[in-house]
Amino acid sequence: MQVQDTSFLKNEIMRLKKEKDVVILAHNYEIPDVQDVADFTGDSLGLSRLAATVPQKTILFCGVHFMAETASIISPEKRVLLPSLEAGCSLSDSITVEELRNWKKQHPNAISVGYVNTTAEIKSELDYCCTSSNAVNVVKAIPEDKEILFLPDMFLGSYVAKMTGRKNMHIWAGECHVHAGITPEDVTKKLQSMKDAEFVIHPECSCTTPMMYDVADGSYDDNKVSILSTEGMLNHVSKSKSKNFVVATETGILYRMKKENPEKTFIPASEKAECEYMKMITLEKVHDALINERNVISVPKKIADKARLAIDRMLEIS
């Protein structure tokens, strides 16, 4: 019965999105069923940029709240729907706009660089936005004598400081609860269980910090290792000649990896690396959002305009 219900819902979603002229975007961490009904699957900023180029005037974003906000900032003339308003983000929640303003007051001459995994209000207070794939380039583009406030992810911040050699970076002590839970012990155990495995790791993982020096050399325990964004991981595993991969990020990405590379083997560094917020998006909620056109995410123009400036500065660099 469940299979029939799922097939029916998928067919209804496909029908409704055409009928209502809606584009469905799904983040790489969404459940397989939701990825199946999406027009595009990818990382948060890539999807938001792509949404600006499609003809549809309504975007249904299957992801978390800050992602829908980013899509609204980049495409202010379009309507953005979010299937679940409860789909938040532990990393985004790790800094408030008041905390950021106070931090900036303590370092009045510093340049603020914030990860895209932040609220629109936080983005509006930043000098630059960044993603996991371009954070190093964004920091390198800032004059070396300038202090940098990097937020909110401490593991990504540590990685960037290591790769750029910056000694004047202040790093906010925030973390993604999913990536913070992937430990060096998890990784070592999995690598030992898979012969000739390549290791792909997201820089938000807590395991990057103790491994940093080995990883920067491109190896860990004699295994080839790459620190990459989610899209970077997907591109890398497709091009790599390796057949076995240990993947250190949220487990939702494995579905797309296996689908695009059926002849290769992918195992998670930790089976527990599941984002409860991403998993709040279900087929039922996608269907409901299409039927009722509810949960419209909009960003006040003043905040959106300032936030867009930080995003545009980043895009000019990367």
Side-chain angles (χ1 to χ4, degrees):
M1 186 66 184
Q2 180 61 42
V3 175
Q4 280 186 325
D5 288 347
T6 300
S7 298
F8 173 75
L9 268 180
K10 283 183 177 177
N11 289 334
E12 277 297 288
I13 289 166
M14 295 302 202
R15 182 183 67 77
L16 283 165
K17 73 177 180 181
K18 282 179 186 163
E19 184 184 294
K20 298 197 170 198
D21 199 29
V22 176
V23 64
I24 299 182
L25 310 178
H27 191 271
N28 291 317
Y29 297 158
E30 290 298 326
I31 62 170
D33 283 338
V34 169
Q35 292 190 38
D36 285 344
V37 297
D39 296 290
F40 302 99
T41 307
D43 62 17
S44 59
L45 186 65
L47 289 173
S48 291
R49 291 173 73 184
L50 194 145
T53 68
V54 298
Q56 291 92 337
K57 295 298 181 193
T58 301
I59 301 161
L60 181 58
F61 208 125
C62 300
V64 296
H65 199 276
F66 78 81
M67 296 178 185
E69 282 189 333
T70 305
S72 178
I73 290 165
I74 291 176
S75 302
E77 75 292 351
K78 297 190 178 187
R79 187 172 56 149
V80 181
L81 307 176
L82 183 66
S84 172
L85 290 178
E86 287 73 47
C89 171
S90 59
L91 179 55
S92 180
D93 288 345
S94 67
I95 186 167
T96 65
V97 73
E98 289 78 18
E99 286 171 330
L100 175 54
R101 284 172 185 151
N102 287 335
W103 202 27
K104 284 168 68 175
K105 278 178 193 166
Q106 291 161 27
H107 303 273
N109 299 314
I111 301 291
S112 55
V113 179
Y115 197 20
V116 73
N117 297 37
T118 46
T119 64
E121 212 172 9
I122 292 285
K123 287 185 181 75
S124 74
E125 291 284 335
L126 299 173
D127 294 303
Y128 292 90
C129 248
C130 72
T131 68
S132 52
S133 60
N134 64 27
V136 169
N137 285 343
V138 169
V139 167
K140 278 182 177 174
I142 296 166
E144 286 186 17
D145 62 336
K146 283 283 187 186
E147 267 188 300
I148 292 176
L149 304 181
F150 190 94
L151 62 125
D153 190 271
M154 60 182 170
F155 301 115
L156 179 60
S158 298
Y159 171 70
V160 172
K162 160 72 179 161
M163 298 310 285
T164 60
R166 293 292 282 240
K167 304 292 184 216
N168 55 354
M169 261 179 75
H170 305 280
I171 300 166
W172 190 259
E175 63 179 32
C176 157
H177 75 290
V178 175
H179 286 110
I182 301 175
T183 66
E185 292 74 30
D186 290 329
V187 173
T188 304
K189 198 183 294 181
K190 287 295 169 69
L191 287 175
Q192 286 169 350
S193 73
M194 273 184 95
K195 201 175 187 304
D196 303 325
E198 255 198 78
F199 174 33
V200 287
I201 176 173
H202 195 283
E204 283 178 39
C205 292
S206 66
C207 59
T208 57
T209 308
M211 295 176 177
M212 200 67 77
Y213 288 92
D214 291 336
V215 167
D217 292 333
S219 67
Y220 177 74
D221 281 358
D222 295 326
N223 291 81
K224 188 180 175 191
V225 62
S226 306
I227 298 183
L228 299 159
S229 65
T230 54
E231 281 302 297
M233 285 182 180
L234 286 152
N235 293 332
H236 177 80
V237 300
S238 290
K239 291 173 186 169
S240 173
K241 291 187 171 68
S242 299
K243 293 294 181 189
N244 299 319
F245 298 86
V246 173
V247 183
T249 190
E250 211 274 352
T251 57
I253 200 169
L254 296 172
Y255 177 65
R256 188 173 156 199
M257 282 181 171
K258 290 171 182 173
K259 194 174 172 183
E260 293 177 359
N261 307 276
E263 75 291 357
K264 297 181 181 181
T265 302
F266 302 94
I267 63 166
S270 169
E271 285 82 1
K272 295 176 186 170
E274 282 205 355
C275 175
E276 62 193 277
Y277 301 109
M278 288 285 187
K279 293 342 183 205
M280 286 178 178
I281 310 294
T282 61
L283 281 181
E284 289 78 10
K285 287 179 181 173
V286 173
H287 183 254
D288 183 59
L290 278 170
I291 289 272
N292 298 300
E293 300 180 26
R294 67 172 86 218
N295 302 346
V296 178
I297 304 299
S298 58
V299 178
K301 188 178 184 307
K302 190 178 175 184
I303 290 173
D305 288 347
K306 286 177 74 181
R308 197 177 301 111
L309 193 61
I311 293 169
D312 287 343
R313 282 196 192 123
M314 169 190 74
L315 296 176
E316 281 169 23
I317 293 166
S318 55

